[in-house]
Amino acid sequence: MTFDKDKNNSDLIIGQANFHEVAKKIEKLPEVQNSSLETKINIKKLILGIILGIFGVLFFSLFIFAICFYKYEWENESVDRLIKIIPLPAAVVNWDSLPYYSYREDLKALVKFYEKQENEQVEFEMPDLLEIKKNILDRMIKNKLAEQIAKKRYNISIGRQEIEQEFGKIIDESGSQDQVEKILEEIYGWSSEQFKEKVLKPFLLQQKLQEAVAKDLSLNSDNEKRAKEVLALVKKGEEKFEDLAKKYSEDQSSEMGGDLGYFGRGIMVKEFEEAAFRLNPGETSDLVQTKYGYHIIKVEEVLKDEAGQVSQVHARHILIKTKDLDEFLDEEIERAKIWRFVKITD
């Protein structure tokens, strides 16, 4: 085998040249990659800028729409559909929003009610529009605050079954569901579902909340103390029960010495009824607590049916009230964070 020196030198030179070319390409490769990466980053920035721009325009448009809407109170079907999509608040209560569309529905319903009364020439003084608006907004705020307190402080809620049971009572009293739905449509323009949500649910919740507030000793310690003091006077027997009722009872029956007349079962609240029907004529109860407060009951007479069961009771009582729900909610409203957006001034 012979060694061709010139040929090998030539191959070596060519190989070195190729190596230098490859090296140069490799050196330039990161620059190409960096350039491509920068292009991708710039495209992403451009897309992000476009998206932010679109959102900025939408937000600005929404902001202008909201200002004009609140100021001029636009009313037409298109706006009504729009405010169901755009959740503009009528008010905010402790960071919970009250939807403007719900306020608008209530306003239409109440105006329709008053107009119907006026058309039927019912004698009443119709409030002006600003007063109607204020009353609706105040009621919505109070209902929302009651819902918040019921849930957070007392773990109270209203289930669907409770609402349906209450609606069933209304149907029984009215004759039929069709009749109830016809009345709701004629008077308020509401469906039965709207009535359940706007009226029955808040009503039932506030009934439960009243009971919880009445039994909350942190709110009623002074009331309980006063009730025990009056009970001690009754037990002492130095003054007639009716005289003590006139002096201390905190309801309208005080003028008549606490006389409630005759009543049968199903008339009084459960706790009061059970206590009254256990007493014999001339006997007085200990403190009986209901959602209204602390009662001291004296039975004057009982009437029995043919089977010898007590059917009616004639009783007097002394009532020392516990915290009233409206009073309690008014106090809570003063402490709550509330923002109103509805225009209720000229």
Side-chain angles (χ1 to χ4, degrees):
M1 180 177 180
T2 60
F3 181 76
D4 191 337
K5 183 177 179 181
D6 292 335
K7 183 177 184 300
N8 282 304
N9 286 340
S10 174
D11 290 343
L12 181 60
I13 292 169
I14 292 171
Q16 288 175 343
N18 289 340
F19 174 79
H20 287 306
E21 289 298 321
V22 173
K24 286 179 181 179
K25 289 181 180 180
I26 292 173
E27 287 175 358
K28 290 181 179 179
L29 187 58
E31 294 180 5
V32 174
Q33 291 176 338
N34 287 339
S35 175
S36 176
L37 183 60
E38 288 176 3
T39 302
K40 289 181 180 179
I41 291 173
N42 288 334
I43 291 173
K44 287 182 179 179
K45 286 182 178 179
L46 178 62
I47 294 172
L48 181 60
I50 292 171
I51 293 172
L52 291 176
I54 292 171
F55 274 108
V57 171
L58 289 174
F59 179 79
F60 181 74
S61 301
L62 178 59
F63 179 71
I64 296 300
F65 170 77
I67 290 175
C68 294
F69 178 80
Y70 285 124
K71 183 175 182 179
Y72 300 110
E73 295 184 303
W74 293 330
E75 292 187 26
N76 57 59
E77 290 184 6
S78 297
V79 172
D80 285 347
R81 286 194 294 268
L82 189 58
I83 61 176
K84 285 189 176 183
I85 300 171
I86 302 173
L88 293 178
V92 174
V93 181
N94 292 328
W95 309 107
D96 278 351
S97 176
L98 300 176
Y100 202 104
Y101 75 83
S102 183
Y103 161 80
R104 180 76 68 83
E105 287 178 347
D106 289 1
L107 178 60
K108 287 181 179 179
L110 204 54
V111 169
K112 181 181 177 70
F113 167 79
Y114 284 128
E115 287 176 349
K116 183 172 180 60
Q117 302 305 308
E118 193 171 38
N119 293 337
E120 294 180 356
Q121 298 181 342
V122 177
E123 292 185 8
F124 77 105
E125 185 176 350
M126 180 174 176
D128 61 38
L129 186 59
L130 293 180
E131 186 177 352
I132 294 173
K133 289 179 178 180
K134 182 180 184 302
N135 290 340
I136 290 172
L137 191 63
D138 287 347
R139 179 183 56 78
M140 289 179 69
I141 289 171
K142 186 170 284 190
N143 286 349
K144 174 55 70 174
L145 190 60
E147 181 184 321
Q148 291 172 345
I149 293 170
K151 182 179 180 180
K152 294 177 182 178
R153 191 178 301 184
Y154 299 108
N155 195 28
I156 292 172
S157 62
I158 299 298
R160 184 70 184 182
Q161 186 177 356
E162 294 172 275
I163 296 173
E164 294 300 335
Q165 285 177 348
E166 191 67 24
F167 189 61
K169 293 177 184 177
I170 296 172
I171 292 173
D172 291 341
E173 292 174 1
S174 302
S176 70
Q177 183 167 338
D178 289 341
Q179 181 67 17
V180 172
E181 290 178 348
K182 181 181 177 182
I183 293 170
L184 290 174
E185 173 59 35
E186 287 180 355
I187 296 179
Y188 300 105
W190 278 345
S191 67
S192 59
E193 288 304 313
Q194 285 176 304
F195 175 72
K196 291 173 187 177
E197 186 65 26
K198 292 176 179 293
V199 177
L200 288 188
K201 185 177 180 180
F203 168 75
L204 292 171
L205 185 137
Q206 291 184 30
Q207 288 276 309
K208 284 188 176 183
L209 184 57
Q210 173 64 76
E211 292 180 15
V213 167
K215 294 176 181 178
D216 189 338
L217 284 178
S218 68
L219 301 173
N220 296 292
S221 57
D222 291 341
N223 310 66
E224 184 185 47
K225 180 181 177 182
R226 189 164 64 254
K228 288 180 177 179
E229 290 172 350
V230 175
L231 178 62
L233 293 175
V234 171
K235 298 287 187 181
K236 199 171 183 180
E238 293 182 355
E239 295 182 70
K240 291 182 179 179
F241 188 94
E242 49 264 44
D243 291 336
L244 291 173
K246 289 178 181 179
K247 192 182 298 185
Y248 296 108
S249 191
E250 298 174 349
D251 72 333
Q252 294 180 348
S253 72
S254 63
E255 298 175 2
M256 300 173 288
D259 194 355
L260 299 174
Y262 289 89
F263 56 87
R265 292 188 180 276
I267 303 299
M268 302 298 186
V269 292
K270 181 180 177 181
E271 300 90 342
F272 189 99
E273 177 187 295
E274 289 178 351
F277 274 76
R278 281 198 301 265
L279 296 172
N280 295 313
E283 291 182 341
T284 58
S285 70
D286 289 325
L287 293 183
V288 177
Q289 190 173 5
T290 72
K291 63 182 180 181
Y292 301 109
Y294 297 99
H295 305 260
I296 304 168
I297 305 168
K298 181 181 179 182
V299 169
E300 299 282 352
E301 185 181 3
V302 298
L303 300 179
K304 296 183 178 181
D305 57 22
E306 294 178 355
Q309 300 296 317
V310 176
S311 58
Q312 289 197 358
V313 169
H314 177 204
R316 297 178 186 268
H317 83 145
I318 299 171
L319 172 65
I320 305 300
K321 290 183 177 181
T322 44
K323 178 75 76 172
D324 177 72
L325 182 61
D326 286 331
E327 177 189 353
F328 169 73
L329 290 176
D330 286 341
E331 292 172 358
E332 291 295 321
I333 283 173
E334 292 298 318
R335 291 191 283 268
K337 292 181 176 65
I338 299 172
W339 295 268
R340 294 172 172 84
F341 299 99
V342 172
K343 181 182 176 183
I344 54 176
T345 58
D346 290 323

